[in-house]
Amino acid sequence: MSNPDHVGTLATALANAQRLMAANPAGAAEQAAEILKVVPGHPDALLIQGAARLALGDPAGALAVIEPLAAAYPKAAAVQYHLGAALAEAGRGDEAIAALRRTVKLNGQHAQAWRLLGDLLTASGDSEGADAAYARHIQASVNDPRLMEAAGALCDNKLAVAEHGLRAFLKENPTDVAAIRMLAEVASRLGRYEDAQKLLSRALELAPSFDAARANYATVLMRQNRTTEALAEIEALLKRDPRNTGYRAQRAAALARIGEYQQTIADYEAVLKAYPTQPKAWMSYGHALKTVGRTDDGIAAYRRSLALLPSLGESWWSLANLKTFRFTDEDVAAMRRQLARSDLSDDDRLHLDFALGKALEDGGAYEASFAHYDKANALRRKAMGYEAEDTTRHVDRSTALFTKEFFGARAAQGSAAPDPVFILGLTRSGSTLLEQILASHPAVEGTMELPDITALAKRIGGRKKKSDDSAYPENLATLAPEDLRALGEEYLERTAIQRKLGRPLFIDKMPSNWLHTGLIHLILPKAKIIDARRQPLACCFSNFKQHFARGQGFTYDLTDLGRYYYDYARLMAHFDAVLPGRVHRVIYEEMVADPEREVRRLLDYCGLPFEPACLRFYENERAVRTASSEQVRRPIYKESVEQWRHYEPWLDPLKAALGEVLENYPQVPADWRQR
């Protein structure tokens, strides 16, 4: 086929086969086969044949063609891309990532390769790498010089520059979906998730098949705790691309939020089949296994993640966070080796310091243990931006608003549903124990720490950005009876997805709901409110030892902890005065000393008959989604009550901040009670 006519015929045949790929891959495969009869081994025809087989759902057949081609043409970006796509479809995720990295190294403007690489990195648990790949996908997808400039700024994380350019571009081109998606990415990185959601919703109105925008939309919904809506978007993506492991990983994370752990575990197992060497995927799998009580399997998953990446601090902390787990001497030496590295990230370092603090505590080396806890907290505190004065101001404003007269004027308003049981207070105060006890009653379902009351409070406050002033709780005074009822009904609707068993009552165990006790009473006046309280030094130091996945900014400094506990006790004392008997208080030490008496009191408050299973709560096999998950699978033990005393020499800042609250525990100062 060396003469010009044959060359022209070949080019025409290849072009025709390429055109057929989108609508008729079977036809493209036939055309490629005809070409190969005439020109055996022609690389372009082989590539079309392999791509067609992949489009027809035959990844093994595609690889049979593309793998030898990729070996023969290692510097052909198109071949490496199709190799990556075929490997991904075949479930060989790690190899697929490697092939796609080769692709973008050969051709940094290969938009499809960047997009697929982002999906695969998402599935593997590398969210940081995925974000970078998606940014490069955006950059490679646009042709307008102004969008290319904005995309470059986005890749460099110059968000103000990117936002300015995109807003100017969209004034002239308001329906450009690529620009809308890029502006949504800017908003998301700035934490303006509602803005990002609106932008992505608009992009999907204009281009319903814009899957990249839909995947971003699902992520933004997840970040706002709108899990049900996010799941609907993910399922839509999976319907179009059922083998996409990135979407499977997204779904697994969403399902975990709503307690669908068996499906979560199944999704992670599918992901790990494709990505067996991805440490963060093993870690996420371990989280799910631990939550359903498969502790040994969870430990094995964490161990697997650390074998792959010994510096992964979160996996070390996940083992420590089992509470009942004990590190070996080899583990301690391994953690010390990682902490000695100069290239360790702050995130890995603080997790390792928390974990090593726990290991040394278990070994009785309390001074060294405290030193590691202190280092970990200092690193975490630096990134949190918590201001104790904000909590104090909120309590001051709440006590000013919520008077006896205020509540009296709104008696019997709100939803009449008695379903919710709120367990609130500080974290590490025995709240998970109370949840497990109540969830062992046939009339009560345990769920998790639900974010919905906080979300309602935020909306009522009307604050769009952190720098804005919130009008909460004062705006509650402006709400009509129908508004309060609607808020109560909305809460019940939002939390319905968490209720799997059809029981009359369900538990919301979000500790920080103490800040919103007044709101809860107004919108759900028949709900039960239980205040879990623990000795201040024991409770606060237990928090200081704990690393939380998100929030709880007050726990990373001893003075902040003392002030927070003080404000919490002050606000709850106020509600005791203005709403006598409304809140039932459980003192942790009294529960430990006489469980049956305290359980009977608790059930009486909830209007429930005594149930012996509540005393055998440790036999309940329900999923438990907090740091105390392993502890509540054992009978009540007394050792933890005085554990803090080993650290008393270093707790003076905490004692000073607690002041009279510590001196009066378990009561509160007399002048707080005499209102």
Side-chain angles (χ1 to χ4, degrees):
M1 293 189 67
S2 58
N3 69 59
D5 288 341
H6 285 175
V7 171
T9 303
L10 175 60
T12 301
L14 285 169
N16 185 49
Q18 193 65 54
R19 277 194 300 271
L20 287 169
M21 272 298 302
N24 183 11
E30 290 175 11
Q31 181 75 70
E34 291 300 316
I35 295 170
L36 290 166
K37 286 179 185 178
V38 180
V39 192
H42 192 285
D44 291 340
L46 285 170
L47 187 57
I48 291 170
Q49 186 180 64
R53 288 182 180 178
L54 183 60
L56 291 167
D58 180 16
L63 285 169
V65 175
I66 298 173
E67 280 190 294
L69 191 63
Y73 297 92
K75 294 186 177 181
V79 176
Q80 293 297 325
Y81 166 72
H82 283 93
L83 175 63
L87 287 167
E89 287 290 312
R92 293 160 60 182
D94 292 337
E95 295 171 84
I97 288 172
L100 291 165
R101 289 197 188 282
R102 290 193 295 272
T103 304
V104 296
K105 187 174 181 180
L106 291 163
N107 178 7
Q109 295 304 306
H110 199 304
Q112 290 171 293
W114 283 117
R115 169 66 200 284
L116 182 55
L117 180 59
D119 289 346
L120 299 186
L121 291 173
T122 296
S124 74
D126 183 1
S127 57
E128 189 174 319
D131 286 347
Y134 288 137
R136 291 299 301 270
H137 162 69
I138 292 171
Q139 186 180 35
S141 299
V142 297
N143 297 313
D144 187 289
R146 290 173 295 174
L147 289 187
M148 292 174 70
E149 184 179 349
L154 191 58
C155 287
D156 294 336
N157 210 37
K158 296 177 179 177
L159 301 183
V161 174
E163 182 173 21
H164 178 76
L166 289 166
R167 290 196 181 281
F169 181 85
L170 283 167
K171 278 186 178 180
E172 299 174 22
N173 306 274
T175 60
D176 189 298
V177 291
I180 294 171
R181 180 192 170 209
M182 289 166 66
L183 187 57
E185 175 66 17
V186 171
S188 184
R189 291 196 196 181
L190 291 169
R192 301 193 321 235
Y193 299 126
E194 290 182 13
D195 293 342
Q197 179 194 330
K198 290 174 184 175
L199 287 163
L200 290 165
S201 178
R202 175 61 176 155
L204 291 169
E205 284 177 14
L206 294 166
S209 61
F210 192 0
D211 287 353
R214 194 170 299 280
N216 295 152
Y217 189 50
T219 299
V220 166
L221 289 169
M222 283 282 286
R223 287 174 179 168
Q224 296 178 88
N225 292 305
R226 299 175 67 167
T227 310
T228 308
E229 295 164 80
L231 268 172
E233 301 301 330
I234 297 166
E235 294 292 358
L237 289 165
L238 280 166
K239 189 174 182 180
R240 292 164 63 90
D241 189 1
R243 294 185 296 274
N244 187 304
T245 46
Y247 300 155
R248 290 288 291 272
Q250 256 191 315
R251 184 172 68 177
L255 289 167
R257 292 263 191 101
I258 60 170
E260 296 289 350
Y261 279 99
Q262 296 310 318
Q263 183 60 55
T264 297
I265 288 168
D267 275 346
Y268 278 131
E269 286 172 348
V271 169
L272 284 164
K273 186 176 180 181
Y275 304 94
T277 63
Q278 295 301 319
K280 290 187 178 179
W282 280 106
M283 182 181 70
S284 296
Y285 181 48
H287 294 340
L289 292 167
K290 176 212 62 165
T291 301
V292 299
R294 291 172 56 184
T295 307
D296 290 343
D297 292 337
I299 290 171
Y302 293 141
R303 290 285 194 196
R304 182 73 176 272
S305 74
L306 289 168
L308 293 164
L309 185 61
S311 63
L312 185 54
E314 190 176 347
S315 281
W316 286 111
W317 168 246
S318 297
L319 289 169
N321 203 29
L322 291 170
K323 307 305 181 188
T324 55
F325 176 85
R326 294 295 178 265
F327 289 109
T328 65
D329 290 344
E330 291 77 11
D331 291 331
V332 171
M335 286 189 277
R336 289 191 188 280
R337 283 196 298 273
Q338 295 303 319
L339 283 168
R341 290 172 51 172
S342 60
D343 61 342
L344 196 65
S345 71
D346 281 357
D347 188 62
D348 285 325
R349 187 173 297 281
L350 71 88
H351 278 100
L352 275 157
D353 271 320
F354 273 117
L356 188 53
K358 173 65 164 57
L360 293 170
E361 178 179 358
D362 290 339
Y366 299 114
E367 185 171 3
S369 166
F370 182 84
H372 282 284
Y373 285 141
D374 200 36
K375 289 177 185 176
N377 278 287
L379 268 179
R380 183 69 168 142
R381 176 73 172 81
K382 187 170 64 175
M384 291 301 293
Y386 174 75
E387 295 292 342
E389 192 58 37
D390 292 343
T391 302
T392 300
R393 277 196 298 268
H394 173 81
V395 171
D396 289 343
R397 291 163 65 185
S398 296
T399 55
L401 176 70
F402 296 128
T403 62
K404 288 182 179 180
E405 294 74 22
F406 180 88
F407 287 125
R410 292 160 179 81
Q413 296 180 14
S415 168
D419 306 29
V421 178
F422 293 92
I423 301 177
L424 44 77
L426 262 73
T427 45
R428 311 298 297 147
S429 62
S431 56
T432 304
L433 172 62
L434 297 184
E435 179 191 38
Q436 188 78 342
I437 288 169
L438 284 173
S440 299
H441 195 287
V444 186
E445 179 172 3
T447 59
M448 61 180 289
E449 295 176 356
L450 304 179
D452 303 278
I453 288 292
T454 302
L456 293 177
K458 182 180 177 183
R459 193 174 78 210
I460 293 165
R463 186 167 65 176
K464 299 295 184 184
K465 296 182 291 186
K466 285 185 177 180
S467 57
D468 294 343
D469 289 330
S470 172
Y472 176 82
E474 288 83 1
N475 272 357
L476 288 170
T478 70
L479 300 182
E482 56 269 25
D483 298 325
L484 296 175
R485 185 174 60 255
L487 285 167
E489 295 299 329
E490 181 183 345
Y491 170 83
L492 295 170
E493 290 169 12
R494 291 172 65 122
T495 56
I497 195 168
Q498 302 286 347
R499 304 177 70 176
K500 319 290 183 187
L501 306 178
R503 295 181 178 180
L505 305 181
F506 73 97
I507 299 168
D508 179 342
K509 201 187 75 66
M510 178 62 80
S512 60
N513 278 341
W514 70 267
L515 292 158
H516 311 299
T517 304
L519 170 63
I520 292 170
H521 176 70
L522 289 169
I523 68 173
L524 293 158
K526 294 189 177 180
K528 303 301 180 186
I529 305 174
I530 299 164
D531 175 14
R533 189 165 299 188
R534 185 179 176 190
Q535 200 274 350
L537 293 174
C539 182
C540 291
F541 187 67
S542 185
N543 275 282
F544 192 70
K545 298 190 301 180
Q546 181 72 37
H547 177 264
F548 295 92
R550 64 183 67 86
Q552 316 304 337
F554 66 93
T555 65
Y556 300 106
D557 177 88
L558 290 174
T559 298
D560 286 346
L561 268 161
R563 290 189 60 179
Y564 190 87
Y565 192 109
Y566 185 99
D567 281 331
Y568 143 74
R570 185 163 63 95
L571 184 58
M572 299 314 292
H574 176 79
F575 285 116
D576 289 343
V578 299
L579 293 171
R582 180 69 177 93
V583 177
H584 177 75
R585 185 159 297 111
V586 178
I587 303 298
Y588 177 74
E589 294 77 20
E590 294 177 5
M591 174 65 78
V592 170
D594 194 341
E596 182 170 347
R597 181 192 67 198
E598 293 303 313
V599 168
R600 287 183 179 276
R601 287 183 62 242
L602 180 62
L603 295 176
D604 284 346
Y605 168 76
C606 292
L608 297 170
F610 179 72
E611 171 59 55
C614 293
L615 293 175
R616 300 192 306 274
F617 59 87
Y618 46 86
E619 297 174 358
N620 190 334
E621 296 182 354
R622 60 178 283 268
V624 181
R625 292 176 262 188
T626 66
S628 304
S629 59
E630 297 311 300
Q631 292 165 303
V632 298
R633 292 191 171 103
R634 299 186 298 166
I636 289 176
Y637 64 104
K638 299 181 180 181
E639 292 85 350
S640 65
V641 172
E642 299 296 322
Q643 185 71 8
W644 65 272
R645 292 192 182 279
H646 295 299
Y647 295 89
E648 191 166 8
W650 306 287
L651 301 185
D652 286 349
L654 174 58
K655 292 178 181 178
L658 287 166
E660 57 187 341
V661 169
L662 176 59
E663 297 163 10
N664 285 272
Y665 183 81
Q667 299 299 320
V668 294
D671 60 327
W672 290 6
R673 299 195 297 272
Q674 297 169 0
R675 293 176 184 272

